[in-house]
Amino acid sequence: MKAIIPAAGQGTRFLPASKAVPKEMLPVLDKPMIQYVVEEALAADAREVIIICNDDKPEIAAHFSPSPDLVRSLEHKNNTALAQSVRHAGALPVSFAQQNEPLGLGNAVLQAGDFVCDDSEGFFVLLGDVLVPDNGLLTRMRTVSEAYGNAGVLAVIRVPDEDVSRFGIIDAELISGSEQDGTAVWQINALVEKPLLHEAPSNLAIFGRYLLTPQIMQLLAHTGPGAGGEIQLTDALEALLQSEPLYAIEVDADEGLDCGTIADWLSANIRLAARDAELSKVVSAACDRIF
Ligand code: UTP
């Protein structure tokens, strides 16, 4: 299965930090957020990974290119671990497609149409600013897809009422498993992008991981601007429901870390630091000083 990582957005909510550094290149602990996303796709055995990018963000391609001089210099200074981390980032197998204008997530995915059009199997879409550090979610999505005839599967997360209008929201019914132990599988009846709270069919928000069938590309080619004037992947998925079923599984709040806003990014850094033996002491000491 191939993987598409859209990373050509404007990062408006991160300005001015994202003025000259792409949002996806901002660090979460010791590496840029997009490196987590590439590693997650590869951990799920993605055959190829394509990043949707643009000319304003050359830093992303630079990060995934070899830096032999830097590696040599670090090795010369016996910084073996750092040399290895730089070599690793430069050796991750990624390729690139262009989205010349940030017309929306749906339009970004469409730019990878040629990349998946020869395949009859599905492909993953992983948003470049959403992290799943334990790398287990895509495999769970693939298992559910296979159980339901290789259908499309979305990851969803429960959000509070005040956040509903920030996300794509699903209307769905529970068809197997249990909400209590995280095994719930939902069949989607409808999807709506950024609904007003009183129009939202549920609190289940699309979470930035998709397993899609290639048919979505034809629908994206004919999808016009939707919420916020952008070409929305959610609108094409709503159209797809006319011809194919779609399923959803839930992401636990500790499993998935959205980094789309400064507040979310800060929270992701703190939560990941708290899981690290050394950095958790830094978090704890900082909290002791503040609170
Ligand atoms: P977001 O909406 O979170 O990112 O899209 P954004 O558009 O960069 O941020 P804001 O809204 O201006 O603050 C989720 C992912 O989809 C990519 C983004 O780069 C991000 O990683 N994206 C979004 C595209 O590749 N192209 C687009 O036209 C829009």
Coordinates of all heavy atoms in Angstrom, one line a residue, residues 6-14 23-24 52 57 99 101-105 108 127-129 230 260, ligand 1:
P6 N 0.1 15.0 2.7 CA -0.1 16.4 2.3 C 0.7 17.3 3.2 O 0.5 17.2 4.4 CB -1.6 16.6 2.3 CG -2.2 15.2 2.4 CD -1.2 14.4 3.1
A7 N 1.5 18.2 2.7 CA 2.3 19.1 3.5 C 2.5 20.4 2.8 O 3.5 21.0 2.9 CB 3.6 18.5 3.9
A8 N 1.5 20.8 2.0 CA 1.6 22.0 1.1 C 0.7 23.1 1.6 O 0.6 24.1 0.9 CB 1.4 21.7 -0.3
G9 N 0.2 23.0 2.8 CA -0.7 24.1 3.3 C 0.1 25.3 3.7 O 1.3 25.3 3.7
Q10 N -0.6 26.4 4.1 CA 0.0 27.6 4.4 C 0.5 27.7 5.9 O 1.2 28.6 6.2 CB -0.9 28.8 4.1 CG -1.0 29.0 2.6 CD -2.0 30.2 2.3 OE1 -3.1 30.2 2.7 NE2 -1.5 31.2 1.6
G11 N -0.1 26.9 6.7 CA 0.3 26.9 8.1 C -0.1 28.2 8.8 O 0.6 28.7 9.7
T12 N -1.2 28.8 8.4 CA -1.6 30.1 8.9 C -1.6 30.2 10.4 O -1.2 31.2 11.0 CB -3.0 30.5 8.3 OG1 -3.1 30.0 7.0 CG2 -3.3 31.9 8.3
R13 N -2.1 29.1 11.0 CA -2.3 29.2 12.4 C -1.0 29.1 13.2 O -1.0 29.3 14.4 CB -3.3 28.0 12.9 CG -4.7 28.2 12.5 CD -5.5 27.0 12.6 NE -5.1 25.9 11.7 CZ -5.4 24.7 11.8 NH1 -6.3 24.3 12.7 NH2 -5.0 23.8 10.9
F14 N 0.1 28.9 12.5 CA 1.4 28.9 13.1 C 2.2 30.2 12.8 O 3.4 30.2 13.2 CB 2.2 27.7 12.7 CG 2.1 26.5 13.6 CD1 1.1 25.6 13.5 CD2 3.1 26.4 14.6 CE1 1.0 24.5 14.4 CE2 3.0 25.3 15.5 CZ 2.0 24.4 15.4
K23 N 5.4 24.7 8.7 CA 4.8 24.1 9.9 C 5.3 22.7 10.1 O 5.6 22.3 11.3 CB 3.3 24.2 9.8 CG 2.6 23.4 10.9 CD 1.1 23.6 10.8 CE 0.4 22.9 9.7 NZ -1.1 23.0 9.7
E24 N 5.3 21.9 9.1 CA 5.6 20.4 9.2 C 7.1 20.2 9.6 O 7.4 19.1 9.9 CB 5.3 19.7 7.9 CG 3.8 19.7 7.5 CD 3.3 21.0 6.8 OE1 4.2 21.9 6.6 OE2 2.1 21.1 6.6
I52 N 3.3 15.7 -0.5 CA 2.7 16.8 -1.4 C 3.3 18.1 -0.8 O 3.1 18.5 0.3 CB 1.2 16.9 -1.3 CG1 0.6 15.5 -1.6 CG2 0.7 17.9 -2.4 CD1 0.9 14.8 -2.9
K57 N 8.5 25.5 0.2 CA 8.9 24.7 1.3 C 10.0 23.8 1.0 O 9.9 22.6 1.2 CB 7.7 23.9 1.8 CG 6.5 24.7 2.4 CD 5.4 23.8 2.9 CE 4.5 24.5 3.8 NZ 3.4 23.6 4.4
Q99 N 1.9 20.7 -5.1 CA 0.6 21.4 -5.1 C 0.9 22.9 -5.3 O 1.4 23.5 -4.3 CB -0.2 21.1 -3.9 CG -1.6 21.8 -3.9 CD -2.3 21.8 -2.6 OE1 -1.7 21.8 -1.5 NE2 -3.6 21.8 -2.6
E101 N -0.8 25.6 -5.6 CA -1.6 26.6 -4.8 C -2.3 25.8 -3.7 O -2.8 24.7 -3.9 CB -2.7 27.2 -5.7 CG -2.4 28.4 -6.4 CD -3.6 28.9 -7.1 OE1 -4.3 29.7 -6.5 OE2 -3.9 28.5 -8.2
P102 N -2.3 26.4 -2.5 CA -3.0 25.7 -1.4 C -4.5 25.8 -1.5 O -5.2 26.5 -0.7 CB -2.4 26.4 -0.1 CG -2.2 27.8 -0.6 CD -1.8 27.7 -2.1
L103 N -5.1 25.0 -2.4 CA -6.5 25.0 -2.6 C -7.3 24.1 -1.7 O -8.5 24.1 -1.8 CB -6.8 24.6 -4.1 CG -6.2 25.5 -5.2 CD1 -6.5 25.0 -6.6 CD2 -6.7 27.0 -5.0
G104 N -6.6 23.5 -0.8 CA -7.4 22.6 0.2 C -6.8 21.2 0.2 O -6.1 20.8 -0.8
L105 N -7.2 20.5 1.2 CA -6.7 19.1 1.4 C -7.1 18.2 0.3 O -6.3 17.4 -0.2 CB -7.2 18.5 2.8 CG -6.8 17.1 3.1 CD1 -5.3 17.0 3.2 CD2 -7.4 16.7 4.4
A108 N -4.9 18.8 -2.6 CA -3.5 18.3 -2.3 C -3.4 16.8 -2.6 O -2.5 16.3 -3.2 CB -3.1 18.5 -0.8
L127 N -2.0 13.1 7.4 CA -1.7 14.6 7.4 C -0.4 14.9 8.0 O 0.0 14.2 9.0 CB -2.9 15.3 8.2 CG -4.3 15.2 7.6 CD1 -5.2 16.2 8.2 CD2 -4.3 15.3 6.1
G128 N 0.3 15.8 7.4 CA 1.7 16.1 7.9 C 1.8 16.8 9.2 O 2.9 17.0 9.7
D129 N 0.7 17.2 9.8 CA 0.8 17.8 11.1 C 0.0 17.1 12.2 O -0.4 17.7 13.2 CB 0.2 19.3 11.0 CG -1.2 19.3 10.5 OD1 -1.8 18.3 10.1 OD2 -1.8 20.4 10.5
E230 N -12.2 26.0 0.4 CA -11.2 25.1 0.0 C -11.8 23.8 -0.5 O -12.9 23.4 -0.2 CB -10.3 24.7 1.3 CG -9.6 25.9 1.8 CD -8.5 25.4 2.8 OE1 -8.6 24.3 3.3 OE2 -7.6 26.3 3.1
G260 N -1.8 20.8 14.8 CA -2.2 21.8 13.8 C -2.3 23.2 14.3 O -2.3 24.2 13.5
Ligands
UTP1 P1 -4.3 22.1 7.8 O1 -5.5 22.8 7.4 O2 -4.1 21.6 9.2 O3 -3.0 22.9 7.4 O4 -4.1 20.9 6.8 P2 -2.7 24.3 6.8 O5 -3.7 24.6 5.8 O6 -1.3 24.4 6.5 O7 -3.0 25.2 8.1 P3 -3.8 26.5 8.4 O8 -5.2 26.1 8.3 O9 -3.4 27.5 7.3 O10 -3.4 27.0 9.7 C1 -3.7 19.6 7.2 C2 -2.4 19.2 6.3 O11 -2.8 19.2 5.0 C3 -1.9 20.0 4.3 C4 -1.2 20.9 5.3 O12 0.2 21.2 4.9 C5 -1.2 20.0 6.6 O13 -0.1 19.3 6.8 N1 -2.5 20.8 3.2 C6 -3.6 21.6 3.5 C7 -2.0 20.8 1.9 O14 -1.1 20.0 1.6 N2 -2.6 21.6 1.0 C8 -3.7 22.4 1.3 O15 -4.2 23.1 0.3 C9 -4.2 22.4 2.6

